[in-house]
Amino acid sequence: MSSARIFSRIIGTGSYLPGEPVTNHDLVARGINTSDEWIVERTGIHARHLAPEHVSCSDLALEASRRALVAAGKEPGDIDLVIVATSTPDFIFPSAAALLQDKLGIRNGAAAFDVQAVCSGFVYALAIAEKFIRSGSHRCALVVGAEVFSRILDWDDRGTCVLFGDGAGAAVLAASDEPGILATAIHADGSHSGILSVPGQICGGKVIGRPFLQMEGQAVFKFAVRVLKEVAEEVLAQAGLSVVDIDWLIPHQANVRIINATAKKLALPAEKVIVTVGHHGNTSAASIPLALDEAVRAGRIERGDTLLLEGVGGGFTWGATLLKF
């Protein structure tokens, strides 16, 4: 396969949600000052999954990866690049990707590293993997979004704790003679970091600052809707396509208001939008691959469909991937 004709395609997907769903009513029963009506009206979320204390980011990634490998018809030894998008890794180091590599039994020296772009992490990781494959340096990448956001939530803050959940999604990306990923775009603007952050750190064995997620909801909403429209138009222009060519929009599953507002800005009908946030909440970097895998396994997404994946997250980061499935 000559370098001039190397493309990259998603050849398999997988996902995993830990434990049983935790409903809005369950949260109320746990003493959180909220209600099912309040949460659903503002977010569209009915339930989320929360990982037990002994379950880590790489554990979730492992289950999603195993399913993606089976779907792709690949063995762990076929993988020569592992990228995990996460903001909640097992440790400061080694990376969740290195831990995942070990748990999968990949012993071929495959490159492994994490990407930290919060909710945009999966589209960032896809863009990176695509460049590696198209360069000819690698042929088969495992790209994972995995999060245990429940570990960084303040359960006394009803404005944030009800929004998030834990989970993982994975995709196997392989070299191909036919175009799969058609266009990618990733961006960041650190001047907006204050509206969504976890401003804590470890120093001398102690937590310095506040180690919980904090967010200015309205500011995030306005920023997200604007940049998601812009980055969608950017990748469409790169590929020489228009909105009418999109079969499915798979946005970051933050809340239904952002999803609906973005689709409206793009003039995309609701029946072309994959929405899964209702039953797993905002799983950050895991949300796009979770939604992708669910739609593939349900038979909604078929081979040959044109997909637009896009996300926005703390940093602020944002990005999109346009692909032929």
Side-chain angles (χ1 to χ4, degrees):
M1 190 180 295
S2 68
S3 60
R5 299 187 62 232
I6 298 176
F7 301 99
S8 59
R9 295 185 68 89
I10 291 178
I11 61 170
T13 63
S15 60
Y16 178 72
L17 292 165
E20 295 298 316
V22 177
T23 68
N24 296 337
H25 295 293
D26 292 332
L27 294 183
V28 174
R30 294 181 183 192
I32 295 175
N33 180 25
T34 188
S35 69
D36 177 66
E37 294 77 14
W38 189 90
I39 298 170
V40 173
E41 179 184 349
R42 288 161 177 78
T43 70
I45 297 170
H46 295 268
R48 73 287 295 146
H49 290 250
L50 305 177
E53 287 187 9
H54 66 278
V55 174
S56 67
C57 171
S58 65
D59 291 329
L60 301 183
L62 175 63
E63 297 302 323
S65 298
R66 284 172 170 165
R67 296 173 185 184
L69 286 167
V70 170
K74 295 290 186 180
E75 297 295 330
D78 297 322
I79 301 297
D80 57 12
L81 175 63
V82 181
I83 306 177
V84 174
T86 186
S87 299
T88 52
D90 302 37
F91 309 120
I92 294 175
F93 68 84
S95 68
L99 297 173
L100 173 61
Q101 179 196 49
D102 177 54
K103 290 177 179 181
L104 283 170
I106 299 174
R107 302 285 185 261
N108 58 8
F113 57 88
D114 291 353
V115 171
Q116 215 286 43
V118 200
C119 305
S120 307
F122 187 74
V123 289
Y124 262 64
L126 269 185
I128 294 166
E130 188 258 353
K131 301 302 185 292
F132 271 80
I133 290 174
R134 292 199 67 176
S135 75
S137 66
H138 294 72
R139 292 186 57 83
C140 194
L142 176 61
V143 183
V144 186
E147 301 282 15
V148 281
F149 251 57
S150 59
R151 311 284 163 81
I152 56 171
L153 299 178
D154 179 355
W155 292 98
D156 292 324
D157 179 6
R158 74 167 187 169
T160 59
C161 72
V162 302
L163 304 178
F164 296 91
D166 303 333
V172 177
L173 198 64
S176 173
D177 289 324
E178 298 181 0
I181 292 185
L182 306 175
T184 65
I186 53 176
H187 300 284
D189 184 347
S191 68
H192 296 281
S193 61
I195 64 176
L196 178 56
S197 65
V198 180
Q201 58 182 290
I202 300 296
C203 180
K206 298 179 181 179
V207 175
I208 306 298
R210 180 174 167 79
F212 298 119
L213 182 146
Q214 60 184 33
M215 178 175 66
E216 297 177 25
Q218 285 302 311
V220 170
F221 177 90
K222 292 177 182 178
F223 185 90
V225 173
R226 175 176 63 83
V227 298
L228 288 173
K229 175 180 183 292
E230 292 173 353
V231 78
E233 293 171 341
E234 180 181 355
V235 292
L236 285 167
Q238 283 184 35
L241 299 178
S242 65
V243 171
V244 297
D245 297 308
I246 298 172
D247 293 304
W248 295 103
L249 170 65
I250 309 178
H252 164 48
Q253 305 291 311
N255 71 57
V256 292
R257 288 185 172 182
I258 291 177
I259 293 170
N260 292 340
T262 301
K264 185 176 180 180
K265 288 271 190 181
L266 292 170
L268 263 178
E271 57 267 25
K272 285 191 170 187
V273 184
I274 302 295
V275 181
T276 59
V277 66
H279 57 268
H280 62 62
N282 183 348
T283 54
S284 190
S287 76
I288 292 174
L290 272 167
L292 170 63
D293 182 59
E294 181 174 313
V296 168
R297 291 176 187 267
R300 299 177 71 189
I301 292 175
E302 299 178 342
R303 284 295 169 189
D305 284 353
T306 299
L307 315 181
L308 174 61
L309 283 53
E310 60 175 357
V312 60
F316 248 68
T317 65
W318 65 100
T321 300
L322 187 69
L323 63 92
K324 186 74 70 173
F325 188 68

